Amino acid sequence: MRLGIRAKQIAGVTAIVGMSVVLLSGLAAAMVASLVMNESLSRGKLIALAIYQRAFEVVPASSDPYIGLRDDPGLRSILQSSLYGESLTGASVIDRAGIVVASSDSALIGRPLPPSEDLEPIVKGGPIRQLQVIYSTEGRTLEVNQPLILDDEPFGSIRVGVSTLLMRSALSGWLTQTLIVAVVALLVAVLVAGLLAERLLRPIHVIRSGLTRLGRGEFGVTLDLPPGDEFGELGSFFNTVSQQLSADRSALAGQKANLQVAVEHLEDAVALINPAGELLFSNPAMQATFATDTIGKPIATLLPVGHPARTIIEETLASHQSRGPVQATLQEDVELLLMTQMITGTSGELVGVLLVARNVTYMSRVQSMLAYSRKLVALGRLTAGIAHEVKNPLNAMIIHLELLRTKIRSAAQAAQPQAVAAAGTGTLGLAGVAPVAAALPPAAQSALEHVEVIENEIRRLDGVVQGFLKFTRPEDLRLAPVRVPDLLAAIQPIVEPEARKNGVKVSMECPASIPAVNGDAGMLRQVFLNLAINACQAMPQGGSLRIKCAPLSHQRVEIRVEDTGVGIAKEHLPKIFDLYFTTKDHGTGIGLSMVYRIVQLHDGEIEVESTQGRGTTFRVLLPQAAEV
């Protein structure tokens, strides 16, 4: 089991204190053992000396020295006092033959007393020897031996008994107290070590918490550590590194978002595979081959054996070499160019494989469309020039028709002055045709009707040419941030009368928090006004018109124009943005074409959904304006 820093610190402090207590307790035990033995030796010698002094007084005064020693009451009192020592067991006077002459134990008088181990050499043997003797398995009796010498001749000896059991008892009581003190010291050491660990390790806990938050991806993580020590310096360094990481992460996040947008909008299909052959990423163009829910699955389970993509991926993983481009036909009308690119780490190890699939058929179509677009541009310039040249003769024809109408009237008035005078003078032009024509002869009246028909057709042709010129040569864009709520509020007063005429209820849901779009306010106003008016006209029996806005990802804003009108026929949907296509009785077919053209000029998108009898929804996507 791994121990934390706090546990290690507590264990270390406790171990140091424990070893110190054990060592000091051992030294104290040895000192006490030596003290107990020295005290026992001193007491034994003291008793022996007292007996010796009494014997020195009794022996010269007795005819039989041994009988005198046995019967002397003073000597007997001294011998009895030996029993009151803490570790003494008694004292005896022995003659030359080893027979007890006098003793604290009267039962021993007259009996031989075998000698015991002398205490004094043991005392001089050191603390370890003393502890061994005291704590031997079985207790034994040591003795303090004092020879009796009279007239320079050995007379006998004095033996004072010392019990190791009694010494052990005296020493154990002290050791018990020492053990209690040691346990208390250890508990105090653990408590103090815990408090010190809590105080000393707090900066480490703060740093660990900061690292955890930093690892979770939080920005701007800082540590509040007091300055003045190593931890304060470490906290300052951590804060500096955290600020740098936050700045780097912000930059990387922006780069990642840009890269993701770029990859998602690639026409080429892109997929990333790890060294184990598992799919890690696929962009929208690759969704037809690898769906979103296949992320993390092996390529071997996603593609059949022999599939060109699987083959080239497996070859790259096996050889650690990039492959391709390899041309492959997946369907009858789809040809792809497949290629793989090795992705290696800093030390050259394989990190992954990048698979790129390019739709050759689609690229051919795009090239064809580009060539076709160039031809259309050239044709548009040509037709715009032709339309411009046609406009001048049309204006001349209008002028000459007006002159012709004036001459016809003048000739008729000259032929019938009374009829004209009776009819009164009228205004020239279409408004004045009826009162004059009523007084004209039938031939003149018929001529004026033909002139009016020709003028109307010329004016209609002029309107068509004007619309064509506006479509082919739109006004210059004046791009600026445009607030969508203000844009819709500007068209609402114009839409309301048309809506009331058709019984349409208009609702606009565009909160002020919607980001501004980058566009030309005048042109965008024309777009939404055209869509709103068309929606109102598509509901002759009444209904509801709903315009709402919403921000989208990738810096786009969505404006939806929804109606509950008659809808658009399925076969007409692909043609509604075509120039001059209209289903209205008096429509020009230019309005929706201009809407589509203006949205294109703003780098936007327009989509339409319609169901006959249920309504139509136009969805306009415009780029957000750059933040100031």
Side-chain angles (χ1 to χ4, degrees), residues 286-622:
M286 186 65 81
Q287 298 299 321
T289 305
F290 302 123
T292 305
D293 56 354
T294 59
I295 300 297
K297 296 182 179 180
I299 297 296
T301 62
L302 302 178
L303 299 176
V305 178
H307 192 283
R310 175 176 173 177
T311 301
I312 194 172
I313 291 171
E314 292 177 345
E315 289 178 354
T316 304
L317 291 174
S319 64
H320 289 195
Q321 296 291 331
S322 301
R323 297 289 181 179
V326 176
Q327 189 167 357
T329 303
L330 298 184
Q331 301 174 2
E332 294 182 357
D333 57 343
V334 178
E335 291 186 2
L336 299 178
L337 277 181
L338 300 176
M339 62 193 76
T340 57
Q341 180 64 42
M342 288 282 298
I343 302 176
T344 57
T346 55
S347 58
E349 75 279 5
L350 176 64
V351 175
V353 175
L354 184 67
L355 172 66
V356 179
R358 178 167 297 173
N359 191 332
V360 180
T361 304
Y362 175 77
M363 294 301 296
S364 300
R365 292 176 183 171
V366 171
Q367 291 176 354
S368 300
M369 291 178 63
L370 288 175
Y372 183 67
S373 298
R374 294 190 186 98
K375 293 179 181 179
L376 286 180
V377 170
L379 182 60
R381 292 175 180 173
L382 176 62
T383 54
I386 293 175
H388 183 73
E389 294 298 325
V390 169
K391 182 174 173 58
N392 292 332
L394 289 178
N395 290 334
M397 292 169 68
I398 290 290
I399 294 172
H400 285 281
L401 280 175
E402 188 65 30
L403 293 175
L404 178 61
R405 180 184 292 113
T406 303
K407 289 182 179 181
I408 292 174
R409 289 174 180 166
S410 299
Q413 289 175 359
Q416 298 180 347
Q418 293 84 5
V420 173
T425 58
T427 304
L428 291 180
L430 293 179
V433 171
V436 177
L440 293 179
Q445 184 175 353
S446 176
L448 287 176
E449 290 177 355
H450 289 301
V451 169
E452 183 177 355
V453 171
I454 295 172
E455 182 182 14
N456 289 337
E457 291 301 315
I458 290 175
R459 291 190 182 279
R460 189 180 65 83
L461 182 60
D462 184 66
V464 172
V465 173
Q466 291 283 1
F468 181 78
L469 287 176
K470 288 182 179 179
F471 185 82
T472 55
R473 292 190 304 179
E475 299 177 3
D476 293 336
L477 287 176
R478 294 178 177 86
L479 297 178
V482 179
R483 296 187 71 255
V484 181
D486 297 342
L487 190 67
L488 298 181
I491 69 171
Q492 189 170 4
I494 306 175
V495 177
E496 287 290 352
E498 185 73 21
R500 284 195 300 269
K501 183 176 69 175
N502 294 327
V504 175
K505 181 181 179 181
V506 180
S507 64
M508 295 188 180
E509 304 172 9
C510 194
S513 59
I514 293 295
V517 298
N518 188 36
D520 186 305
M523 287 190 174
L524 293 179
R525 189 182 303 112
Q526 182 180 352
V527 167
F528 296 113
L529 180 61
N530 198 322
L531 294 177
I533 295 296
N534 284 352
C536 291
Q537 294 175 353
M539 295 180 282
Q541 306 301 324
S544 63
L545 171 61
R546 186 182 182 189
I547 304 177
K548 58 182 182 179
C549 315
L552 298 181
S553 58
H554 309 315
Q555 303 295 313
R556 311 284 274 185
V557 174
E558 177 192 53
I559 302 96
R560 298 173 70 92
V561 181
E562 303 175 355
D563 66 62
T564 58
V566 296
I568 304 173
K570 185 176 181 181
E571 62 272 14
H572 292 162
L573 277 176
K575 306 175 184 177
I576 61 172
F577 296 118
D578 293 348
L579 185 62
Y580 303 131
F581 175 81
T582 181
T583 57
K584 299 178 182 179
D585 295 337
H586 303 288
T588 62
I590 297 177
L592 286 181
S593 299
M594 289 298 298
V595 167
Y596 185 80
R597 179 66 168 161
I598 292 173
V599 172
Q600 276 190 327
L601 291 174
H602 283 78
D603 193 22
E605 302 174 28
I606 183 169
E607 302 172 357
V608 59
E609 298 176 1
S610 183
T611 304
Q612 277 190 292
R614 299 182 62 181
T616 304
T617 298
F618 283 89
R619 182 169 176 260
V620 180
L621 305 180
L622 297 174

